[in-house]
Amino acid sequence: MMVVGSTQPSIIDPFILADEIALDEALDVLDPLRHLRNQDDPSDDILLVPTQPRSVQNQCINLTFPKPAPQGSSTAIQITLRVDASPGCGGIAWPAGEVLSNYIALRGEQYCHGKTILELGSGTGLVGLVAGALGGHVWITDQAPLLGIMKDNVNVNNLQSLVTVAELNWGENVPSDIPRPDMILAADCVYYEPAFPLLVKTLSELSGEKTEILFCYKKRRKRFFTLLKKQFNWREVNDDPNQESYARAAISLLLLTRRELAVYGDKV
């Protein structure tokens, strides 16, 4: 099988070809940016992210997210986003990030205003920027190579008073200056299997029984959810009017809640 964007053919195990999810994961490894260039169905008119250059380097894109306004009218949140694949795939705008951003925007300012909100694996910071534009006190977090692009995006959107950039490595102790959040946002964080237990550990450390966790991802990685169920329960978000559209692109939006008496690493 020849992978689009590759310089030479790549062979995929024929057993993987029979499993849609395994095939999708294998193709993601071979060509991580393929979802930015091609829709699952070329005839589908749903565009999950704006068209981006095939090799994304220090580009700017503009995103608009509708939000409700008084008297039944509507307005929009405008986000200017610097994207750059040089620090890694986190520097790109990925589909689940836009789905989650759109959902919290539709919930309106009352959903985020005044809450302490933390985004995990922020990458460009898109979801956290939208939460900040809605009045949340937001921390956007990721590994050190992505802090620069996140700071740039905070500054270009004039959200310095509401959005703080911080380094947070999954699996390590949460820095003391990062507060316990009322809400955790995570989009496109389930793609690198060795990081799965580290992500679950960090989610567990940051959350309590009342913490609202919104988790958006493309395709289900079975092993991640096997680990997650030791600590959390989850259900599909059922009040998103766009759910049918993004479900056709194999994207899910979940609400996670902590299980009672669960201790990380224990079987419950």
Side-chain angles (χ1 to χ4, degrees):
M1 173 181 289
M2 175 72 78
V3 178
V4 176
S6 299
T7 58
Q8 52 185 304
S10 298
I11 304 301
I12 296 180
D13 188 325
F15 290 102
I16 292 179
L17 295 174
D19 186 322
E20 180 184 357
I21 294 178
L23 176 60
D24 197 64
E25 292 178 352
L27 292 173
D28 284 347
V29 170
L30 293 170
D31 185 12
L33 302 184
R34 69 190 185 91
H35 294 297
L36 297 180
R37 297 192 291 269
N38 301 294
Q39 298 296 342
D40 290 342
D41 180 359
S43 66
D44 201 339
D45 60 359
I46 299 168
L47 184 62
L48 292 172
V49 292
T51 300
Q52 300 176 68
R54 184 165 176 168
S55 179
V56 182
Q57 292 186 331
N58 201 25
Q59 305 288 325
C60 281
I61 58 176
N62 295 306
L63 301 170
T64 301
F65 301 97
K67 67 172 184 176
Q71 288 80 47
S73 61
S74 64
T75 182
I77 296 172
Q78 305 282 344
I79 298 292
T80 298
L81 201 67
R82 178 186 161 216
V83 292
D84 188 350
S86 300
C89 61
I92 298 297
W94 293 95
E98 187 177 354
V99 168
L100 182 51
S101 297
N102 195 66
Y103 174 72
I104 62 174
L106 287 174
R107 293 292 302 266
E109 292 184 359
Q110 72 280 2
Y111 187 57
C112 292
H113 186 78
K115 292 181 180 179
T116 299
I117 300 171
L118 185 142
E119 184 188 4
L120 290 173
S122 301
T124 61
L126 172 61
V127 182
L129 294 171
V130 173
L134 290 166
H137 300 291
V138 182
W139 292 71
I140 54 177
T141 67
D142 213 311
Q143 296 180 308
L146 289 159
L147 300 185
I149 194 171
M150 289 194 292
K151 290 177 181 177
D152 287 348
N153 285 329
V154 171
N155 292 336
V156 76
N157 290 283
N158 298 313
L159 288 169
Q160 298 93 323
S161 64
L162 289 165
V163 181
T164 300
V165 175
E167 181 178 357
L168 177 56
N169 298 303
W170 301 342
E172 298 181 3
N173 292 333
V174 175
S176 59
D177 59 340
I178 294 180
R180 178 65 66 92
D182 302 307
M183 182 187 300
I184 296 173
L185 305 172
D188 282 311
C189 289
V190 184
Y191 60 90
Y192 182 57
E193 187 162 323
F196 291 176
L198 307 179
L199 175 55
V200 174
K201 183 178 185 297
T202 295
L203 279 169
S204 179
E205 184 175 347
L206 285 167
S207 61
E209 290 183 8
K210 295 183 179 180
T211 309
E212 185 171 2
I213 306 171
L214 290 173
F215 194 92
C216 193
Y217 68 102
K218 180 177 174 66
K219 294 286 187 184
R220 176 177 294 240
R221 268 59 169 179
K222 184 176 180 181
R223 180 170 177 265
F224 174 75
F225 286 90
T226 299
L227 295 170
L228 190 70
K229 71 180 181 181
K230 299 176 182 179
Q231 293 288 316
F232 296 90
N233 297 315
W234 61 84
R235 64 170 177 80
E236 292 273 354
V237 168
N238 55 18
D239 62 346
D240 190 342
N242 298 311
Q243 183 182 34
E244 183 178 349
S245 296
Y246 58 73
R248 296 210 303 271
I251 292 175
S252 294
L253 176 56
L254 305 179
L255 176 65
L256 274 56
T257 53
R258 282 291 301 271
R259 296 182 65 180
E260 294 182 5
L261 304 177
V263 178
Y264 183 80
D266 289 351
K267 293 183 178 180
V268 294

